[in-house]
């Protein structure tokens, strides 16, 4: 009885293994190994008996880790954009001795666009174009305010919201202590005892003086004073000279390329025979 039961159980396991092999019938790619085999080599590979389970060993080619690897851009051809700096970082306080103690929450904002003669009123110019200067930078504002002995804070990564071009090409702004500038006599106060903080640009200097009690106009007067100092700054003069030299070199290069292209171009006009372009008269064919 026990011998017949053992044979029946063995046949049942063999039937299960055969059914599993038929279910995964891929002889080209897979190889099936049974744990009930009496072969010593097979037992060495399979280890201990696994209760009749079948282990599948892959023998065909393996799939690549990334099927889209052939379409990837090589690292040397990738476009690596610079990391955008945090607009709330990089603050510089002048004078540096007040870095910890200065409270600049109530300081007034000045962007380079406020006194840029190349900008329109819509793009942020606050003073008359004749009083403004072309292309001032936040570094120019810092040096001018330092020469006027006005306390200020530099925020180099802030951008002017009205002008998208200046946000990338000429970023930065300064926070100015107008009260300290008034104490130094650089700016004045209006008849109502308030600084001139409106956003209306100066179109007529006479009207502006009348509206501010003839004192010169607070924040606008400070912008005019800064615009007077900026052209005299050594660093600005050096930067303008280098820019002019670079522009001259580029213009000379473009001129040489134009002459070279004109020489290499085919000559226009008639042929080299020297004869006139008129047709010769002849007898008409009958």
């Amino acid at each position: 009885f026990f011998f017949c039961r053992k044979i029946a159980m063995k046949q049942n396991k063999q039937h299960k293994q055969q059914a599993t092999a038929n279910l995964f019938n891929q002889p080209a790619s897979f190889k099936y190994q049974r744990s009930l085999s009496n072969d010593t080599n097979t037992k060495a590979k399979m280890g201990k008996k696994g209760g009749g389970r079948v282990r599948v060993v892959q023998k065909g080619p393996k799939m690549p880790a990334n099927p889209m690897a052939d379409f990837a851009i090589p690292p040397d051809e990738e476009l690596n954009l610079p990391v955008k700096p945090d607009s709330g970082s990089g603050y510089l306080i002048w004078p540096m001795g007040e870095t910890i103690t200065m409270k600049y929450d109530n300081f007034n904002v000045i962007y380079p666009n406020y006194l840029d003669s190349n900008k329109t009123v819509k793009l942020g110019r606050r003073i008359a174009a004749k009083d403004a200067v072309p292309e001032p930078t936040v570094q120019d504002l810092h040096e001018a305010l330092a020469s006027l002995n006005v306390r200020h804070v530099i925020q180099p990564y802030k951008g002017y919201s009205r002008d998208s071009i200046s946000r990338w090409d000429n970023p930065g702004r300064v926070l100015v202590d107008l009260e300290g500038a008034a104490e130094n006599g650089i700016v004045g106060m209006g008849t109502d005892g308030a600084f001139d903080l409106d956003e209306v640009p100066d179109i007529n200097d006479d009207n502006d003086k009348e509206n501010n009690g003839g004192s010169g106009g607070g924040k606008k007067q400070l912008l005019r004073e800064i615009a007077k100092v900026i052209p005299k700054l050594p660093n600005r003069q050096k930067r303008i000279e280098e820019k002019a030299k670079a522009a001259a070199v580029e213009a000379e290069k473009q001129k040489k390329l134009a002459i070279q292209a004109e020489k290499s171009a085919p000559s226009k006009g008639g042929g080299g025979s020297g004869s006139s372009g008129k047709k010769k008269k002849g007898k008409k064919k009958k």
Side-chain angles (χ1 to χ4, degrees):
F1 174 77
F2 291 104
F3 179 74
C4 294
R5 183 180 177 183
K6 187 174 182 181
I7 293 176
M9 292 176 61
K10 184 176 181 180
Q11 290 178 353
N12 189 16
K13 291 180 180 179
Q14 290 178 354
H15 285 304
K16 288 183 179 180
Q17 293 171 4
Q18 186 64 30
T20 307
N22 294 334
L23 181 62
F24 300 97
N25 189 13
Q26 298 182 7
S29 302
F30 297 91
K31 179 182 179 181
Y32 301 96
Q33 298 176 351
R34 294 171 176 81
S35 61
L36 296 179
S37 175
N38 294 325
D39 189 2
T40 55
N41 296 331
T42 305
K43 288 183 178 179
K45 293 180 180 179
M46 297 295 296
K48 295 182 180 180
K49 293 183 179 181
R53 294 192 299 271
V54 177
R55 188 177 69 175
V56 180
V57 180
Q58 185 177 356
K59 306 298 274 188
K62 296 182 179 180
M63 285 289 292
N66 183 11
M68 304 295 291
D70 296 337
F71 301 97
I73 301 175
D76 55 342
E77 297 181 6
E78 291 182 353
L79 182 61
N80 297 321
L81 297 176
V83 180
K84 183 180 178 181
D86 184 12
S87 61
S89 63
Y91 288 13
L92 300 176
I93 295 177
W94 192 93
M96 296 183 65
E98 301 183 19
T99 301
I100 300 176
T101 59
M102 182 183 292
K103 297 181 179 180
Y104 50 85
D105 297 338
N106 297 327
F107 284 14
N108 296 104
V109 179
I110 295 180
Y111 287 97
N113 287 41
Y114 287 5
L115 54 158
D116 192 344
S117 60
N118 296 334
K119 301 296 182 181
T120 61
V121 173
K122 186 177 180 180
L123 294 178
R125 180 169 52 81
R126 299 289 178 84
I127 60 177
K130 63 179 182 179
D131 297 331
V133 293
E135 299 180 1
T137 63
V138 68
Q139 181 66 23
D140 296 340
L141 298 179
H142 160 63
E143 294 179 3
L145 289 170
S147 64
L148 294 173
N149 197 23
V150 178
R151 300 164 68 237
H152 60 278
V153 179
I154 308 170
Q155 297 177 333
Y157 302 124
K158 293 289 186 179
Y160 191 49
S161 58
R162 289 193 190 180
D163 189 6
S164 59
I165 296 177
S166 66
R167 294 183 69 178
W168 294 97
D169 298 341
N170 190 16
R173 71 180 185 184
V174 293
L175 305 179
V176 183
D177 180 17
L178 278 184
E179 294 182 358
E183 293 176 359
N184 295 338
I186 300 174
V187 299
M189 300 175 67
T191 55
D192 56 351
F195 291 107
D196 178 22
L197 303 180
D198 58 349
E199 298 183 359
V200 180
D202 293 341
I203 305 300
N204 189 341
D205 293 343
D206 297 334
N207 293 338
D208 183 69
K209 290 180 181 180
E210 293 176 1
N211 295 334
N212 292 280
S215 60
K219 185 175 180 179
K220 292 179 183 178
Q221 180 62 25
L222 180 60
L223 294 177
R224 295 191 195 97
E225 295 295 332
I226 294 173
K228 292 178 182 178
V229 176
I230 285 178
K232 305 175 184 178
L233 298 175
N235 291 335
R236 176 181 172 84
Q237 294 176 357
K238 184 179 179 180
R239 186 177 71 248
I240 292 176
E241 291 177 0
E242 292 177 353
K243 186 176 180 180
K245 290 180 181 179
V249 171
E250 184 65 21
E252 187 68 21
K253 182 179 179 180
Q254 294 295 334
K255 186 176 179 181
K256 289 181 180 179
L257 291 175
I259 294 174
Q260 186 177 359
E262 186 178 352
K263 290 181 179 180
S264 60
S267 59
K268 299 180 181 180
S273 59
S275 60
S276 61
K278 297 180 180 180
K279 295 182 179 180
K280 294 182 179 180
K281 295 181 179 180
K283 295 181 180 181
K284 294 181 180 180
K285 295 182 180 180
K286 294 182 180 179

